[in-house]
């Protein structure tokens, strides 16, 4: 079942074993583990491993080796591998040469160079002779940092042990050289691979081509690409992807566009990486028709866009000032569960605001707000100004209430002034309390506007009286013009009550001024 890519079937067979003595058998359980690991179900294999132990089974070296193989490609593979090694040693089991080989591969895939060297030396100290796989794994670890000096010493050690380098070893050594910037030596090694018949596919060429392109040697990279074409080297399009990306980075947009069209004419099959590369080339060259053709092709091939696809498109639509199209693409990206790019979204929010698409700008802000990333504090004030320009006062209030500590005093007062003028009267008191709560002292003009609105709506008497009492409790008092306005209209709210509140405010103001003078 595992070999036929059917791990679910393997588990089904296992779960249908009724005899407990057969089911709790280390050899059978190891087979299930192998099926899960080979089919990329590493999380399930770890759960099954724990279940084995709970059922009383004692793992053997095959159990640990099987799980260790799954750590090579697992996201948290290295720390899990260390736990397995510790557990194996605790159980009195001894690591064999296969186990060491897998450990070296895990170290290489997780950029653990020192640890890889340590395990390699430990293996030799325990009497195991490294084989080509061990040398290849350690060489791969050296490739991550381009440590060609250690790589050359390792190659000498390997030859001294009577082992001849094979295709994998030489290709890995090429990876070391290109990452170390030894381009002449890399060319010589590529020629050796060609002579040995090890360069019949594009990978060695791509290693050199990619390194040259990233180092800014675009024309040298193109010469390697041209050599590939002349030799009719088997390619699945990766070499095209490297060169198109290199041309785009170097600003050679016409060359990128032409190479993308050459690929389209030559190949019938596409993968997402290649489609994204071509899409990027067309977007940078401003080829809208070709961009739309690429998107149509993705639909026809039922290839789902990934984060890169959406990012390319949103940048392109913003560049072309198609901000509403960029907005709709951002919504699609968010709905597909991709993390949004804050810098790009901030740019889009600004331009949606400029074109008076205030609600759409707020929608992008909310998508960012509810994502897992931490937002830049300046974005809260930016969206507040956009919402105020669109008179979306309810949404403005939400932004202020949730993020007042990130909003400047002038912006806070601007919001308060506009809200007092035309915001929902039922929320006026709440707005003033929120502003005060964030340490922003409310001026007389804002209180005057709020009180004027209440006087025009006598049915809001309770809210009006509550505001006056709150003002007194927090050391605020109305100015003379607002006081006269209140007295003039006191019959609407109860003359005696208004007089008492105003008197209390007056006394509070006197005490406050007296304290200020003492402080001076």
């Amino acid at each position: 079942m595992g070999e036929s890519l059917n791990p679910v079937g393997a588990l089904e067979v296992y779960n249908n074993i009724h005899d407990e003595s057969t089911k709790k058998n280390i050899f059978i359980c190891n087979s299930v583990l192998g099926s899960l690991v080979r089919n990329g179900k590493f999380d399930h294999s770890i759960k099954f491993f724990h279940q084995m132990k709970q059922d009383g089974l004692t793992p053997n070296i095959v159990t640990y080796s099987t799980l260790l193989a799954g750590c090579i490609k697992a996201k948290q593979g290295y720390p899990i591998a260390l736990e397995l090694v510790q557990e194996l040693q605790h159980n009195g089991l001894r690591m064999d040469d296969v186990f060491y080989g897998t450990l070296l591969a895990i170290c290489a895939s997780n950029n653990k160079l020192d640890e890889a060297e340590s395990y390699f030396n430990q293996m030799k100290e325990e009497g195991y002779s490294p084989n080509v796989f061990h040398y290849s794994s350690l060489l791969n670890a050296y490739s991550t940092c381009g440590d060609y000096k250690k790589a050359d010493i390792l190659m000498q050690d390997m030859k001294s042990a009577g082992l001849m380098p094979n295709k994998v070893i030489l290709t890995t050594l090429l990876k070391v050289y290109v990452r170390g910037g030894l381009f002449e030596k890399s060319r010589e090694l590529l020629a050796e691979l060609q002579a040995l018949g090890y360069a019949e596919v594009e990978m060695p060429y791509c290693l050199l081509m990619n390194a040259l392109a990233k180092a800014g040697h675009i024309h040298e990279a193109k010469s390697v690409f041209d050599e590939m074409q002349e030799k009719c080297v088997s390619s699945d399009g990766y070499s095209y992807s490297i060169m198109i990306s290199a041309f785009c980075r170097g600003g050679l947009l016409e060359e990128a566009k032409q190479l993308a069209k050459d690929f389209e004419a030559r190949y019938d099959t596409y993968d997402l990486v290649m489609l994204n590369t071509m899409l990027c080339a067309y977007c940078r060259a401003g080829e809208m028709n070709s961009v739309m053709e690429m998107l149509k092709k993705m639909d026809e091939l039922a290839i789902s866009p990934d984060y890169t696809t959406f990012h390319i498109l949103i940048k392109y639509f913003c560049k072309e000032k198609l901000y509403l199209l960029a907005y709709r693409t951002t919504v699609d990206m968010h709905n597909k569960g991709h993390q949004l790019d804050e810098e790009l979204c901030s740019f889009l929010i600004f331009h949606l605001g400029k074109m008076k698409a205030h609600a759409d700008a707020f929608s992008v802000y909310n998508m960012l707000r509810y994502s897992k990333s931490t937002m830049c504090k300046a974005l809260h004030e930016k969206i507040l100004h956009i919402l105020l320009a669109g008179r979306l006062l309810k949404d403005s209030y939400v932004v202020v209430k949730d993020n007042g500590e990130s909003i400047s005093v002038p912006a806070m007062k601007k919001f308060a002034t506009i809200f007092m003028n035309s915001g929902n009267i039922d929320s006026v008191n709440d707005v003033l309390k929120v502003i005060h709560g964030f340490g922003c002292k409310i001026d007389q003009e804002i209180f005057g506007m709020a009180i004027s609105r209440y006087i025009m709506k006598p049915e809001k008497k309770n809210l009006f009286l509550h505001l006056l009492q709150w003002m007194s409790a927090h050391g605020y008092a109305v100015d003379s013009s607002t006081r006269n306005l209140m007295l003039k209209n006191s019959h609407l709210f109860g003359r005696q009550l208004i007089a008492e509140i105003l008197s209390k405010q007056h006394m509070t103001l006197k005490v406050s001024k007296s304290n200020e003078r003492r402080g001076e």
Side-chain angles (χ1 to χ4, degrees):
M1 289 293 183
E3 288 174 358
S4 62
L5 308 180
N6 188 5
V8 175
L11 279 174
E12 189 178 341
V13 171
Y14 176 78
N15 290 328
N16 284 330
I17 298 173
H18 298 296
D19 181 63
E20 285 299 309
S21 62
T22 305
K23 194 171 187 177
K24 293 178 182 177
N25 179 292
I26 191 64
F27 302 107
I28 290 174
C29 288
N30 284 346
S31 294
V32 176
L33 275 179
S35 171
L36 293 170
V37 168
R38 277 196 301 275
N39 288 279
K41 305 292 183 183
F42 186 65
D43 291 342
H44 290 81
S45 68
I46 292 294
K47 288 177 185 175
F48 188 79
F49 173 65
H50 291 310
Q51 186 61 52
M52 284 170 58
K53 292 191 289 185
Q54 286 174 17
D55 291 340
L57 281 171
T58 302
N60 59 18
I61 189 66
V62 176
T63 313
Y64 289 109
S65 295
T66 302
L67 281 174
L68 200 68
C71 293
I72 296 175
K73 293 184 179 178
K75 187 177 283 188
Q76 293 295 321
Y78 183 71
I80 295 173
L82 290 185
E83 289 176 14
L84 292 171
V85 169
Q86 290 170 0
E87 187 176 318
L88 174 143
Q89 293 172 333
H90 178 76
N91 291 340
L93 295 173
R94 191 164 175 260
M95 294 190 287
D96 58 17
D97 56 346
V98 174
F99 200 93
Y100 272 115
T102 310
L103 260 181
L104 288 170
I106 292 167
C107 290
S109 63
N110 286 273
N111 298 335
K112 302 291 183 181
L113 175 56
D114 293 340
E115 291 82 351
E117 287 181 331
S118 176
Y119 283 124
F120 187 81
N121 293 329
Q122 183 180 322
M123 180 184 69
K124 291 203 290 187
E125 287 168 7
E126 290 183 9
Y128 294 111
S129 297
N131 58 29
V132 172
F133 177 65
H134 298 110
Y135 280 104
S136 174
S137 294
L138 184 54
L139 200 60
N140 199 33
Y142 290 143
S143 76
T144 58
C145 56
D147 197 334
Y148 54 86
K149 292 181 180 178
K150 285 187 175 181
D152 284 341
I153 293 170
L154 187 69
M155 290 297 293
Q156 289 301 319
D157 181 52
M158 179 183 166
K159 289 172 183 176
S160 299
L163 296 172
M164 292 305 295
N166 59 13
K167 178 180 177 180
V168 174
I169 290 284
L170 291 174
T171 305
T172 308
L173 183 61
L174 178 64
K175 196 193 301 184
V176 177
Y177 287 162
V178 297
R179 289 187 178 170
L182 302 181
F183 297 128
E184 276 307 310
K185 207 164 183 179
S186 299
R187 286 180 183 279
E188 291 170 9
L189 186 52
L190 179 58
E192 185 180 340
L193 282 161
Q194 290 168 343
L196 291 168
Y198 293 162
E200 71 279 2
V201 294
E202 67 179 338
M203 185 50 68
Y205 294 92
C206 289
L207 287 172
L208 178 55
M209 198 188 312
N210 195 37
L212 286 166
K214 286 183 175 175
H217 306 308
I218 297 176
H219 295 297
E220 289 90 333
K222 182 63 165 59
S223 71
V224 176
F225 178 82
D226 293 338
E227 183 184 345
M228 263 189 65
Q229 305 307 306
E230 289 168 13
K231 292 180 181 295
C232 299
V233 174
S234 176
S235 169
D236 61 4
Y238 182 45
S239 55
Y240 279 88
S241 177
I242 291 170
M243 283 314 306
I244 292 170
S245 297
F247 283 144
C248 285
R249 286 197 303 271
L252 303 170
L253 303 182
E254 281 303 313
E255 289 85 342
K257 183 180 72 174
Q258 186 56 53
L259 202 55
K261 290 190 178 298
D262 290 347
F263 178 87
E264 283 192 79
R266 182 171 178 179
Y267 292 89
D268 293 326
T269 57
Y270 299 85
D271 63 10
L272 184 55
V273 173
M274 193 63 221
L275 283 166
N276 282 343
T277 304
M278 295 168 69
L279 196 61
C280 182
Y282 291 138
C283 285
R284 290 200 179 193
E287 288 280 327
M288 177 63 86
N289 290 337
S290 297
V291 169
M292 292 303 147
E293 280 297 316
M294 279 291 101
L295 295 178
K296 183 181 175 184
K297 198 176 289 291
M298 288 181 76
D299 284 339
E300 290 170 354
L301 298 171
I303 295 176
S304 297
D306 64 356
Y307 169 85
T308 304
T309 317
F310 284 114
H311 190 74
I312 291 167
L313 288 171
I314 295 166
K315 276 187 78 173
Y316 173 59
F317 294 145
C318 285
K319 174 187 161 191
E320 296 295 320
K321 300 181 180 178
L322 302 169
Y323 300 116
L324 290 178
L325 192 52
Y327 165 68
R328 288 196 289 273
T329 308
T330 303
V331 172
D332 288 343
M333 183 180 186
H334 178 70
N335 290 340
K336 288 283 195 309
H338 296 294
Q339 187 75 31
L340 300 181
D341 180 272
E342 184 177 329
E343 186 178 348
L344 191 54
C345 285
S346 178
F347 180 84
L348 179 57
I349 285 169
F350 173 75
H351 285 283
L352 286 170
K354 278 189 76 175
M355 63 183 293
K356 302 187 188 308
H358 308 103
D360 292 342
F362 189 53
S363 174
V364 176
Y365 166 83
N366 277 328
M367 285 183 240
L368 268 180
R369 183 183 169 209
Y370 292 113
S371 67
K372 294 177 184 176
S373 61
T374 304
M375 280 176 70
C376 171
K377 291 182 178 180
L379 199 52
H380 301 303
E381 185 163 324
K382 180 186 283 190
I383 195 63
L384 177 61
H385 286 297
I386 290 170
L387 293 171
L388 291 175
R391 289 300 187 266
L392 299 176
L393 301 183
K394 182 180 177 182
D395 295 328
S396 301
Y397 176 41
V398 170
V399 172
V400 169
K401 186 173 67 172
D402 292 346
N403 307 283
E405 70 281 351
S406 302
I407 295 170
S408 66
V409 171
M412 195 82 83
K413 288 187 175 178
K414 178 182 177 183
F415 159 70
T417 302
I418 294 173
F419 199 97
M420 293 308 111
N421 259 326
S422 50
N424 184 345
I425 195 168
D426 292 330
S427 298
V428 162
N429 289 0
D430 292 333
V431 167
L432 293 172
K433 289 176 185 177
V434 164
I435 293 171
H436 174 81
F438 282 114
C440 179
K441 189 169 177 60
I442 305 167
D443 58 36
Q444 291 295 333
E445 183 183 357
I446 289 173
F447 277 125
M449 292 164 66
I451 290 167
S452 296
R453 286 195 67 191
Y454 280 131
I455 288 172
M456 293 170 63
K457 294 273 188 180
E459 66 272 19
K460 301 295 180 180
K461 174 182 175 180
N462 290 337
L463 288 173
F464 176 48
L465 296 176
H466 180 80
L467 172 61
L468 295 175
Q469 288 160 357
W470 180 84
M471 287 175 68
S472 300
H474 290 83
Y476 290 110
V478 297
D479 60 11
S480 58
S481 62
T482 305
R483 178 187 179 88
N484 292 336
L485 181 65
M486 287 171 61
L487 289 171
K488 184 178 177 182
N489 294 277
S490 60
H491 62 282
L492 299 173
F493 306 99
R495 294 182 190 278
Q496 184 63 31
L497 183 57
I498 294 297
E500 287 174 5
I501 291 172
L502 288 174
S503 175
K504 188 176 180 181
Q505 283 193 2
H506 181 66
M507 289 301 297
T508 302
L509 191 61
K510 273 183 75 175
V511 170
S512 176
K513 286 182 177 179
S514 175
N515 289 337
E516 284 177 11
R517 280 196 293 271
R518 285 199 197 98
E520 289 172 0

